[in-house]
Amino acid sequence: MNIIAPSILSADFGNLRQQINMIERAGAQWAHIDVMDGHFVPNITIGPVVISSVRQGSGLFFDTHLMIQRPERYIKAFSEAGADLISVHLEAETDVDRDIELILSEGKKAAIAINPNTGFSRAREYMERHGDDISLLLIMSVFPGFGGQAFIEGVLPKIREAREYINSTGLKTQIEVDGGINLENIGSVLNAGADVIVAGSAIFKSPDPEDTIKRMLSANNFKS
Ligand code: DX5
Ligand code: ZN
């Protein structure tokens, strides 16, 4: 079964706890939490206080995507607020090696994220250095900042490249793909080698979000 991580950026923030309960009821295993600082991306979203406010009531795995500059300043705060995994962008103003160690020292899973115009080779440098300490590689299929954008088909070869590398090395690192994924293209993303699917608007803006999640959970790879 695929892992579906609904991105709460597209949820109704006026009913956030109810929305998180809904995705859990529908069978989603993760909640994808998009943190934006208005500097790394031209948008501002949420901070640790929102995570801690919904943490107690949820058994979901909180997949925390930091789209912020200098994330080292907030890794402890997001960890204490209840993040389970924290991803940092290779394109951010930061020392990613140090950030990975910081996240691990907080007892959380560490992940690295790359934008559509960043080659897999840059991520491979970190994966060679850190091995399975990097639990997940987040491959962006939109440029970060907003939900509701169109999937960039050009990232499919990069997903395949990452899948081949992980399979050839025996690493346990999971591949997460994030941005513009819907019921029409999820098969090709899975077929390229993704383990975790992030979807925001395709779920929360659909007529029946619970049904959309269930259909994504049972989506099968198909030869694209
Ligand atoms: C964009 C975020 C994505 C986004 C996904 O910067 O990282 O997680 O919210 O939303 P959709 O699925 O609508 O593209
Ligand atoms: Zn995201």
Side-chain angles (χ1 to χ4, degrees), residues 32 34 65 67 178:
H32 183 79
D34 285 313
H65 179 192
M67 289 161 276
D178 179 9

PDB file of all heavy atoms in Angstrom, residues 32 34 65 67 178, ligand 2:
ATOM      1  N   HIS A  32       1.420  15.901   5.829  1.00  0.00           N
ATOM      2  CA  HIS A  32       2.543  16.692   5.295  1.00  0.00           C
ATOM      3  C   HIS A  32       2.319  18.142   5.691  1.00  0.00           C
ATOM      4  O   HIS A  32       1.290  18.741   5.353  1.00  0.00           O
ATOM      5  CB  HIS A  32       2.595  16.555   3.771  1.00  0.00           C
ATOM      6  CG  HIS A  32       3.739  17.249   3.117  1.00  0.00           C
ATOM      7  ND1 HIS A  32       5.017  16.718   3.089  1.00  0.00           N
ATOM      8  CD2 HIS A  32       3.803  18.437   2.471  1.00  0.00           C
ATOM      9  CE1 HIS A  32       5.812  17.578   2.441  1.00  0.00           C
ATOM     10  NE2 HIS A  32       5.109  18.612   2.064  1.00  0.00           N
ATOM     11  N   ASP A  34       3.560  21.890   5.635  1.00  0.00           N
ATOM     12  CA  ASP A  34       4.400  22.824   4.857  1.00  0.00           C
ATOM     13  C   ASP A  34       4.691  24.090   5.650  1.00  0.00           C
ATOM     14  O   ASP A  34       3.791  24.877   5.928  1.00  0.00           O
ATOM     15  CB  ASP A  34       3.686  23.193   3.550  1.00  0.00           C
ATOM     16  CG  ASP A  34       3.729  22.070   2.537  1.00  0.00           C
ATOM     17  OD1 ASP A  34       4.821  21.498   2.342  1.00  0.00           O
ATOM     18  OD2 ASP A  34       2.681  21.756   1.952  1.00  0.00           O
ATOM     19  N   HIS A  65       7.902  19.724   6.326  1.00  0.00           N
ATOM     20  CA  HIS A  65       8.680  20.194   5.163  1.00  0.00           C
ATOM     21  C   HIS A  65       9.085  21.643   5.403  1.00  0.00           C
ATOM     22  O   HIS A  65       8.255  22.542   5.300  1.00  0.00           O
ATOM     23  CB  HIS A  65       7.790  20.043   3.912  1.00  0.00           C
ATOM     24  CG  HIS A  65       8.408  20.500   2.651  1.00  0.00           C
ATOM     25  ND1 HIS A  65       7.674  20.657   1.495  1.00  0.00           N
ATOM     26  CD2 HIS A  65       9.686  20.817   2.332  1.00  0.00           C
ATOM     27  CE1 HIS A  65       8.469  21.066   0.517  1.00  0.00           C
ATOM     28  NE2 HIS A  65       9.703  21.146   0.991  1.00  0.00           N
ATOM     29  N   MET A  67      10.458  24.851   4.315  1.00  0.00           N
ATOM     30  CA  MET A  67      10.833  25.693   3.184  1.00  0.00           C
ATOM     31  C   MET A  67      11.243  27.047   3.753  1.00  0.00           C
ATOM     32  O   MET A  67      10.533  28.058   3.648  1.00  0.00           O
ATOM     33  CB  MET A  67       9.659  25.831   2.204  1.00  0.00           C
ATOM     34  CG  MET A  67       9.385  24.547   1.446  1.00  0.00           C
ATOM     35  SD  MET A  67       7.754  24.473   0.709  1.00  0.00           S
ATOM     36  CE  MET A  67       6.833  23.898   2.147  1.00  0.00           C
ATOM     37  N   ASP A 178       6.344  15.561  -4.199  1.00  0.00           N
ATOM     38  CA  ASP A 178       5.515  16.595  -3.586  1.00  0.00           C
ATOM     39  C   ASP A 178       5.210  17.712  -4.581  1.00  0.00           C
ATOM     40  O   ASP A 178       6.092  18.445  -4.991  1.00  0.00           O
ATOM     41  CB  ASP A 178       6.289  17.172  -2.379  1.00  0.00           C
ATOM     42  CG  ASP A 178       5.547  18.278  -1.665  1.00  0.00           C
ATOM     43  OD1 ASP A 178       4.366  18.509  -1.982  1.00  0.00           O
ATOM     44  OD2 ASP A 178       6.165  18.923  -0.802  1.00  0.00           O
TER      45      ASP A 178
HETATM   46 ZN    ZN B   2       5.541  20.230   0.837  1.00  0.00          ZN
END
